[in-house]
Amino acid sequence: MKTSMVRQFCLCLALLLLAGCSGIPRAGPLEKSITEESADLAGFTLIEMSANTVAEYRVASAADTAGTVGVPGAPEINISPGDVLRLRISETKEGGIFAPLASGGTSFDSVRVDHKGDVTIPYVGRVKVLGLNLQQVEERLRSRLTGVTFEPQVYAELVSGRGSSILVSGEVKAPGRFSLLDGPMTIIDAVAKAGGANKPPHQMDVVIRRGKTLTRIPLASVMSGRNQPLRTGDEVTLEANTKVFNALGAIKSTGQLEFNKLYPTLLDALAQLGGLDNTNSSSTGVFVFRLREPRAWLDADNHWQEGPVIFKFDMTKPEMMFITQAFGVRPNDTIYVTNAPSVEWTRSLSPIAQTMATIQGGIGLGKTVIDIIPP
């Protein structure tokens, strides 16, 4: 009689434990908690990925041939305060103010542009050259000499100048100012002159300040085709732009990881994590959580609306290998893999087995459990 009652007690205890198995600790929600129609997704839209749905969420293309990786044309050089000019002035006949063209003319080797943008030349006086290019400087001086000299010829050369340089700073090994007098320069040229970037290209942005205009370009995009020629006075700053994603659940490597390329796919990210855990992972329970997705759902007018989204991937389907290569992971996405159903069942049985073993041990002692059940 007492043995029968003990068995009933054990059965009741086991049922209670099974009823409470949802409270067993785990890294995140069960697969059915996300996929069931009655599931409370807290405003998230659930999108099951397939060959039809992945087109809207394809990985961005890193290639852009709008730029150049070759040698650009020579940049226009405009005169600014502090520049040093070399001027050669000549006349076509002897006996004039300046030496004749046949003997090479009269040379002024170090004519500095003052803070107002003016130069001072004998027999000419002060001449405003601020903002002019070299050809315009020659034309202005020739105009000022007309009537003073006989058929004047003017040749202007920029010897040195702060205004004909660019500044490279930020996450580079050797920041500094580099002159464009030696030849034209692109973004890649400038980064190379500064010793290269301190981080991989996919984790860096190039910020170009040109007057009041600010342009930001991923360095990886520059390296893959969006290289651009620089102009005098440009300020080039390399800034770290670390992009990360999160990994949780039944996966070999969890935590927060940096992108290993500019535009990774889901397959790239899973490979970076070491792949699914064959022992614990559910092949049908691979999810990507995204807090802000521009194409979250279609409204009544068939227009896309922004919102949080959960993307579901069923890895048991062969075509999913292609779909995960097309789906683009974005910064701050969370990849979550649920436990396999067999793992959940085993985990739920474990505490029951331990409890029953304890009870049976008590029966073997003769009084520990039996005495708590009234006859």
Side-chain angles (χ1 to χ4, degrees):
M1 179 68 178
K2 290 183 178 181
T3 302
S4 175
M5 296 183 68
V6 169
R7 289 176 179 171
Q8 292 178 6
F9 171 77
C10 292
L11 179 60
C12 292
L13 182 59
L15 291 174
L16 288 172
L17 288 169
L18 281 172
C21 68
S22 60
I24 295 174
R26 56 176 57 86
L30 294 167
E31 181 178 345
K32 66 178 182 180
S33 300
I34 303 173
T35 57
E36 283 183 347
E37 292 186 6
S38 61
D40 181 8
L41 299 181
F44 280 75
T45 302
L46 179 64
I47 301 176
E48 187 157 352
M49 300 310 296
S50 65
N52 295 326
T53 58
V54 74
E56 302 293 345
Y57 311 100
R58 296 183 68 89
V59 66
S61 175
D64 186 346
T65 56
T68 175
V69 294
V71 178
E76 183 179 28
I77 297 176
N78 300 102
I79 305 302
S80 61
D83 287 351
V84 178
L85 301 174
R86 179 183 293 118
L87 302 174
R88 183 177 292 112
I89 305 174
S90 63
E91 299 183 47
T92 56
K93 292 184 178 181
E94 293 185 0
I97 298 174
F98 302 100
L101 182 61
S103 61
T106 301
S107 181
F108 302 91
D109 292 332
S110 300
V111 180
R112 184 173 294 277
V113 182
D114 66 18
H115 67 284
K116 294 183 178 180
D118 297 342
V119 294
T120 302
I121 303 171
Y123 303 103
V124 179
R126 295 178 65 85
V127 180
K128 179 73 69 176
V129 296
L130 180 66
L132 302 181
N133 59 38
L134 293 176
Q135 182 179 354
Q136 291 170 333
V137 170
E138 294 171 351
E139 292 173 353
R140 180 162 295 185
L141 291 176
R142 190 180 301 115
S143 176
R144 291 287 295 270
L145 288 166
T146 301
V148 179
T149 61
F150 187 77
E151 295 182 355
Q153 301 295 318
V154 180
Y155 172 76
E157 178 184 357
L158 186 62
V159 178
S160 67
R162 185 180 181 87
S164 59
S165 64
I166 61 166
L167 178 65
V168 184
S169 61
E171 293 290 337
V172 290
K173 295 180 174 65
R177 185 172 291 277
F178 305 98
S179 176
L180 293 177
L181 297 180
D182 297 332
M185 193 180 304
T186 65
I187 298 173
I188 294 177
D189 294 330
V191 173
K193 280 184 174 291
N198 290 332
K199 291 188 175 184
H202 66 272
Q203 296 288 9
M204 302 290 292
D205 283 349
V206 179
V207 180
I208 303 173
R209 186 182 297 277
R210 180 174 295 162
K212 295 182 179 180
T213 304
L214 200 68
T215 305
R216 181 181 294 271
I217 313 172
L219 181 56
S221 293
V222 173
M223 304 292 287
S224 64
R226 292 186 64 187
N227 194 21
Q228 298 178 14
L230 297 172
R231 301 178 186 174
T232 57
D234 282 354
E235 296 179 8
V236 180
T237 304
L238 263 66
E239 295 182 356
N241 186 12
T242 303
K243 301 176 181 67
V244 298
F245 66 94
N246 307 299
L248 299 173
I251 203 163
K252 290 183 179 179
S253 177
T254 60
Q256 190 174 76
L257 288 86
E258 294 184 0
F259 279 21
N260 59 7
K261 60 195 306 184
L262 182 60
Y263 299 118
T265 65
L266 179 57
L267 193 64
D268 293 329
L270 290 174
Q272 187 178 348
L273 294 166
L276 301 183
D277 187 336
N278 292 332
T279 304
N280 299 318
S281 300
S282 170
S283 298
T284 61
V286 178
F287 299 91
V288 174
F289 288 70
R290 181 172 296 164
L291 192 58
R292 295 184 63 182
E293 167 55 51
R295 299 186 175 192
W297 52 280
L298 288 168
D299 61 18
D301 297 323
N302 207 36
H303 295 149
W304 285 107
Q305 298 297 322
E306 183 179 272
V309 171
I310 303 174
F311 299 97
K312 181 181 184 296
F313 299 83
D314 184 352
M315 302 302 292
T316 62
K317 299 178 180 179
E319 65 269 23
M320 204 56 60
M321 290 299 175
F322 297 105
I323 293 172
T324 54
Q325 289 184 70
F327 181 86
V329 175
R330 297 182 186 171
N332 302 316
D333 278 357
T334 296
I335 299 173
Y336 173 65
V337 181
T338 61
N339 287 326
S342 59
V343 174
E344 290 294 334
W345 175 247
T346 302
R347 294 179 67 192
S348 66
L349 287 180
S350 179
I352 298 173
Q354 293 175 6
T355 303
M356 293 182 68
T358 302
I359 294 173
Q360 289 177 355
I363 296 173
L365 293 175
K367 292 186 67 175
T368 305
V369 176
I370 295 176
D371 286 349
I372 67 174
I373 304 175

